Amino acid sequence: MTNVVSLNNVDHADLKLVRADAGAETAINQALVFPNEFEQLQREFPILFRKGPDEAFQAVVLLGLDRDENLFVVDQRWRTRIVPALLQRGPFSIGIPAQGGEDAGPMIHVDLDDPRVSRTEGVALFHDHGGNTPLLDHIAAVLRTIYAGLDLSAPMFAAFEAEGLIENAALTIALDDAHRYRLNDYYTLDAERFASLDGAALERLHRAGFLGCAMWALSSLGNIARLIELKNERRHG
């Protein structure tokens, strides 16, 4: 059961967020991400593709190798410089007012029943005079990333498919000689195909705004080595 309402500084003047600095999702081994995050995420995580329930491609970052495992979180804190936007939003979301008219823009919504929301403890969302605190400004920026990213995913994958870049990737990850993981049902970009694209194809990707995304997705696969390192630390620690 949720109690999602539009956030405002009158009804929610005393609202606070508990564990505002954590947001550490420990029970997931992958997270949905968006093209406008790729540049930062590729420095920390492997970016892979999968098909959603509607068979449309989605981008995800791989966080762990076993079910419900996030290797990038220790003691409820991320050990990375960047965290996927969806995992930073906490109890907040974006919505369009039902009766807002044509000019109504997206507004921040909050689930008042979420245990991270409190009126007595935590980090404030609003200053005493009603203005946003840095925490709420950060949440708004995260939600803008998600809102913009939702519109970019389908065109990006269409551009990749048009150039024949997406390939099924059954990845084998070896921790040592005796322990291996087989990751099925994922897709990546075909590095050889990308390297062989002619100038016209590269120009099409560039003009569409997705050439960088292709390069970042490919370079991110080097982070699988980091994932192996973290997994072995946890196994032997």
Side-chain angles (χ1 to χ4, degrees):
M1 183 68 67
T2 60
N3 181 17
V4 178
V5 299
S6 179
L7 184 68
N8 66 81
N9 61 4
V10 176
D11 299 322
H12 311 119
D14 59 346
L15 214 60
K16 298 175 175 62
L17 186 63
V18 181
R19 295 192 302 114
D21 62 338
E25 303 286 349
T26 58
I28 53 172
N29 68 359
Q30 59 185 266
L32 186 69
V33 298
F34 305 102
N36 49 340
E37 299 182 87
F38 280 17
E39 182 177 9
Q40 290 186 304
L41 294 176
Q42 57 93 22
R43 301 169 187 166
E44 302 277 358
F45 309 101
I47 299 173
L48 302 173
F49 308 143
R50 70 182 186 193
K51 288 188 175 181
D54 59 356
E55 290 298 304
F57 280 112
Q58 303 171 329
V60 298
V61 289
L62 194 61
L63 304 175
L65 298 175
D66 285 311
R67 183 181 178 88
D68 301 334
E69 174 186 69
N70 187 342
L71 294 169
F72 294 96
V73 169
V74 176
D75 296 329
Q76 291 295 307
R77 293 188 179 276
W78 287 88
R79 57 198 299 182
T80 58
R81 293 161 293 181
I82 186 67
V83 176
L86 275 178
L87 300 186
Q88 293 189 62
R89 71 182 180 95
F92 302 95
S93 58
I94 272 193
I96 304 296
Q99 298 177 343
E102 293 183 1
D103 297 329
M107 297 182 65
I108 297 177
H109 286 61
V110 60
D111 180 2
L112 296 177
D113 289 342
D114 191 288
R116 290 167 291 188
V117 174
S118 172
R119 294 188 183 270
T120 59
E121 61 177 320
V123 181
L125 298 177
F126 296 103
H127 290 298
D128 291 341
H129 58 74
N132 294 359
T133 63
L135 172 60
L136 186 53
D137 284 339
H138 172 73
I139 291 167
V142 166
L143 293 175
R144 284 194 296 269
T145 295
I146 296 169
Y147 189 75
L150 286 168
D151 288 334
L152 291 172
S153 291
M156 181 189 73
F157 285 115
F160 289 167
E161 287 189 279
E163 305 302 339
L165 290 175
I166 299 178
E167 66 172 355
N168 185 260
L171 301 175
T172 299
I173 297 178
L175 303 182
D176 52 38
D177 291 340
H179 297 86
R180 296 174 181 270
Y181 286 84
R182 181 77 169 175
L183 304 182
N184 298 311
D185 301 323
Y186 287 101
Y187 298 80
T188 59
L189 296 184
D190 184 332
E192 291 186 6
R193 169 66 180 164
F194 181 76
S196 70
L197 291 179
D198 60 20
L202 293 172
E203 178 68 13
R204 286 192 294 271
L205 286 173
H206 174 68
R207 288 186 176 277
F210 302 125
L211 180 59
C213 291
M215 294 188 290
W216 295 322
L218 285 168
S219 67
S220 78
L221 298 180
N223 292 318
I224 290 177
R226 175 62 173 159
L227 205 65
I228 294 171
E229 177 185 332
L230 294 175
K231 181 63 175 178
N232 281 327
E233 280 183 14
R234 185 164 295 188
R235 289 172 61 217
H236 303 304

